[in-house]
Amino acid sequence: MSLQNNQTRAAFLRIAHIIGNPTADPPINPLIPVGRSTWWQWVRDGKAPKPVKLGKRTTAWRAADIAALIETLKATLNKLSIAKVTGFAARRRRG
């Protein structure tokens, strides 16, 4: 499921839509495949956006904030992949 295709119409996303829920019926695929405790740690550390309280027991995140986080994570992964490939090539040439 792509955030751009199906979820930008929704103003908010609940945690199950962000990190997924394989036991839901039907199962929800993760947009960001991390565990619940990791997600909340990211929120506390400022790596993930702050949630919005919609009610006493309802917490959600702005879809636009999650889309921005996904793009940031993709860019970071691309940089790491490029560094890993170029580092591997450099080590190969030496040895």
Side-chain angles (χ1 to χ4, degrees):
M1 176 171 12
S2 170
L3 184 62
Q4 283 75 22
N5 295 340
N6 296 325
Q7 294 177 334
T8 50
R9 284 182 246 137
F12 298 99
L13 297 171
R14 301 287 308 274
I15 194 166
H17 295 101
I18 299 168
I19 66 170
N21 184 353
T23 61
D25 187 25
I28 301 171
N29 291 328
L31 296 172
I32 302 172
V34 297
R36 185 175 293 268
S37 59
T38 299
W39 176 256
W40 281 109
Q41 186 64 50
W42 284 9
V43 171
R44 280 189 295 277
D45 293 345
K47 293 178 185 176
K50 290 184 178 184
V52 176
K53 290 294 282 182
L54 300 178
K56 199 176 214 179
R57 296 178 47 155
T58 306
T59 303
W61 284 262
R62 290 179 182 86
D65 292 346
I66 299 303
L69 176 61
I70 290 170
E71 291 306 313
T72 301
L73 292 172
K74 283 182 183 178
T76 302
L77 284 174
N78 285 340
K79 286 179 186 176
L80 290 174
S81 296
I82 291 169
K84 196 178 242 186
V85 168
T86 55
F88 175 74
R91 282 193 304 270
R92 243 187 116 122
R93 275 184 252 135
R94 280 188 242 138

